[in-house]
Amino acid sequence: MRFRHPDGSTVHLAYCTNVHPAETLDGVIAQLRDHCEPVRRRLGRDRLGIGLWLAKDAARALVADPAALRGLRTELDRRGLEVVTLNGFPYEGFGAAEVKYRVYKPDWADEERLTHTVDLARLLGALLPADATEGTVSTLPLAWRTAQQPDRAERARRHLRTLAERLDTLETVTGRSIRVGLEPEPGCVVETTGDAVGPLTDIARTDRVGLCLDTCHLATSFEQPDAALDALAAADVPVVKAQLSAALHAEHPGLPEVRAALGAFDEPRFLHQTRARADGTLHAVDDLGAALAADGHALPRDVPWRAHFHVPLHAAPAAPLTSTLDVLKDTLTRLVGGACPLTRHLEVETYTWQALPPELRPRGSRQLAEGIAAELALARDLLTDLGLKELP
């Protein structure tokens, strides 16, 4: 979906396909047919943006076979879909029964992460619509915090500098600018926007490598959107892409009924880092189950908790829980509500539909398409309320 900002620039809105796990190229083609096109039709659009997730095997197949890459581009066009952004955070196995800490491997100290991200940038250059000259790729925020020893930290910085150089070369050769954004996430080396400033200003070309701002992660860490974006602007760190998502919020986690409601979201597939802020200190545990453990007080119970669980934008959890949709709205206002947009690539990323409590999960692909379309409709309305005009 495209929108015209009052300054005349185009803002793109997509939804991320990591909600439809596919490790192979055949799986990617199938999800375009079975999921992405039905979402487009539900929205009554001739064209729909998708934030494509290409796992390692699918990406390698496309790099190795130019005909397969042309075939994917043809399939996108045929189904009324366009791609200006890729999700390069998960490397493989995102559809596994247990993902948890595995999603952070390989990290930026590993050569495989550099190779994969450069491959994604090259593929995106070939997949961009004919009238688009800029693409973005989101990636993990260096590493999970316990994996970043000094020697690995230096390798990660070196790989990011190499990435920036290769992105420069790519634009010289193709005329298309691809930028990569580190995506701060709780528990990682770059957990907050503030953590991103040092590594990103250490890279020679920060206009190539910037930040992907995920509003669920921002909220989980209790960051204030205005303060976070002011600090990024002061450090000249660009927001190359934003992911529109909402975290799980519990206002009174000390109450038994609230803890019982939170327990329904404690599931075995994804990591749900949980945070509480008390007296200016951010208290942290790696997963929701650990926060709820009955044998101790991992987090203070007299202040609100937030958990890294991407809940559907249009459907906040039932009381006594809610979501951080207000943080998303405040962030979006700053990102695109001013005289000029701070980013032109927006992506709805609710990959946890099948991890919701059983009674909230979609029953089949039809209900899933309805839910994704409802999220995109909400995001569309937020954008038009900010003065952007939806384009055909």
Side-chain angles (χ1 to χ4, degrees):
M1 300 169 74
R2 298 186 182 194
F3 298 80
R4 181 73 67 207
H5 190 275
D7 77 342
S9 62
T10 300
V11 173
H12 294 263
L13 172 66
Y15 90 89
C16 186
T17 64
N18 62 357
V19 66
H20 316 301
E23 301 288 320
T24 66
L25 180 55
D26 285 345
V28 171
I29 297 294
Q31 70 185 200
L32 301 182
R33 177 194 66 226
D34 297 339
H35 300 290
C36 302
E37 186 177 11
V39 171
R40 177 183 67 76
R41 292 187 182 280
R42 286 196 173 276
L43 287 165
R45 302 284 306 173
D46 293 332
R47 174 173 54 185
L48 177 69
I50 58 171
L52 197 59
W53 175 57
L54 295 173
K56 173 198 68 174
D57 289 344
R60 289 182 179 175
L62 290 167
V63 168
D65 186 353
L69 180 56
R70 290 192 297 270
L72 176 58
R73 174 63 186 271
T74 298
E75 191 71 8
L76 289 165
D77 292 341
R78 186 166 76 89
R79 299 197 180 279
L81 305 170
E82 66 177 14
V83 176
V84 300
T85 190
L86 299 179
N87 188 328
F89 195 136
Y91 182 71
E92 62 182 340
F94 203 58
E98 182 180 330
V99 178
K100 298 288 185 181
Y101 296 95
R102 298 176 188 177
V103 76
Y104 307 108
K105 286 293 186 178
D107 65 37
W108 271 101
D110 300 315
E111 189 76 27
E112 299 96 321
R113 177 61 66 172
L114 172 63
T115 299
H116 179 62
T117 308
V118 172
D119 284 347
L120 292 179
R122 290 172 175 159
L123 293 171
L124 180 56
L127 293 174
L128 286 175
D131 61 348
T133 59
E134 180 182 305
T136 55
V137 180
S138 49
T139 188
L140 86 162
L142 298 184
W144 185 253
R145 66 181 185 279
T146 57
Q148 191 80 334
Q149 296 81 23
D151 60 326
R152 292 183 64 82
E154 177 53 36
R155 284 207 303 273
R157 288 192 292 269
R158 187 168 65 247
H159 286 156
L160 286 174
R161 287 191 288 267
T162 300
L163 171 67
E165 293 166 1
R166 293 184 183 176
L167 295 175
D168 273 345
T169 301
L170 182 62
E171 182 173 18
T172 300
V173 172
T174 67
R176 293 188 157 185
S177 172
I178 307 298
R179 298 194 294 168
V180 173
L182 300 184
E183 181 185 330
E185 176 166 312
C188 292
V189 173
V190 176
E191 171 160 347
T192 66
T193 55
D195 295 334
V197 170
L200 289 176
T201 53
D202 186 46
I203 301 167
R205 293 293 304 276
T206 55
D207 58 334
R208 293 292 181 207
V209 183
L211 194 92
C212 170
L213 187 63
D214 185 299
T215 58
C216 170
H217 303 171
L218 187 81
T220 300
S221 294
F222 287 86
E223 289 198 75
Q224 297 299 316
D226 284 339
L229 289 166
D230 285 346
L232 292 173
D236 201 26
V237 172
V239 179
V240 304
K241 169 182 175 179
Q243 289 176 323
L244 308 183
S245 54
L248 188 64
H249 180 94
E251 187 69 18
H252 301 289
L255 297 177
E257 60 269 28
V258 176
R259 298 173 67 77
L262 284 169
F265 287 84
D266 178 27
E267 54 84 36
R269 184 173 173 188
F270 298 113
L271 201 62
H272 300 298
Q273 303 94 312
T274 306
R275 302 289 186 262
R277 180 170 289 282
D279 299 323
T281 299
L282 188 66
H283 300 263
V285 294
D286 281 356
D287 212 348
L288 182 56
L292 293 169
D295 58 352
H297 292 265
L299 294 177
R301 300 185 183 184
D302 56 349
V303 294
W305 288 6
R306 289 177 179 172
H308 173 218
F309 195 118
H310 290 220
V311 296
L313 302 186
H314 68 294
L321 303 179
T322 187
S323 80
T324 60
L325 182 62
D326 284 347
V327 176
L328 184 160
K329 292 178 179 178
D330 291 345
T331 307
L332 192 61
T333 298
R334 275 295 304 271
L335 288 173
V336 301
C340 60
L342 302 183
T343 186
R344 291 184 294 276
H345 290 180
L346 305 172
E347 178 183 71
V348 171
E349 197 214 13
T350 305
Y351 59 83
T352 44
W353 280 95
Q354 299 302 337
L356 290 167
E359 67 275 11
L360 301 179
R361 293 175 196 167
R363 293 176 176 82
S365 59
R366 186 171 191 170
Q367 283 193 2
L368 178 58
E370 290 173 352
I372 293 169
E375 288 193 292
L376 285 166
L378 182 148
R380 176 195 61 206
D381 292 346
L382 292 177
L383 290 172
T384 55
D385 287 348
L386 290 171
L388 282 73
K389 180 181 178 182
E390 187 176 6
L391 299 175

